[in-house]
Amino acid sequence: MRLSWRRSSRAEDRFESWITEQHQRRVLAGETTPSGPCPDEGFLQDIGRKSKNIALSDPRIDHTANCRKCMSRLLELREQNRTRRQRLAFTAAITACALIAASVVVAWYVTQRMAPSANTAVVAQTVNLWDAGTVRGEQPGQLESVSLPAALVTVTIILPRHSAPGQYLVAVTRDQNGNGLVAEATATTVAKGEQQEITIGLDLRKAAAGPYFLSTTHEQDQAAYYYPLQIK
Ligand SMILES: [Zn+2]
């Protein structure tokens, strides 16, 4: 059992601790003779807490320092106090960590919520390619340009006349060779009368305003059709 509750690095402190330990060892071995009766538990608790109300001249101090029973109890109380302080410090540290974590989460949440609402709002757009009879090799510059906002857009594309039903890959790219991909999505056609429509979500928030190309590729055809697109 370690009797000294003090841990010191300096030699003189080590020497004092050693004397204290030697004394405690003798007391606990019953080699000392206490004077007077044992004090009550409250007094021992006061010493255990290092209360400032206790005068060192109090004869009960001298008794406690030499009584086996009182010394054992005092060491127990000291240990309990130390454990309680450690637990309090631990709880305080955990609470601090939890508070920091909570504030980080709240800050993140607020940042997300405070982000320009227009940026996260989904804009619905319809792109009508019904009369855009583009065929492979045709110059897309001849077609009327499609315009989309630099936002989260839900685009409903009315496919050109005679388009086959099925699944399409829709992409927004920098050029008409499929380079500089900005966004892409796949969707299956829905028939509206004689028209085939596809609806896809495109995230164009990071796209700088300027000219792009919107392409559609049928799952079986694999040939991409490019239409000039302006992102504003
Ligand atoms: Zn005693």
Side-chain angles (χ1 to χ4, degrees), residues 38-39 63 67 70:
C38 290
H63 169 93
C67 172
C70 292

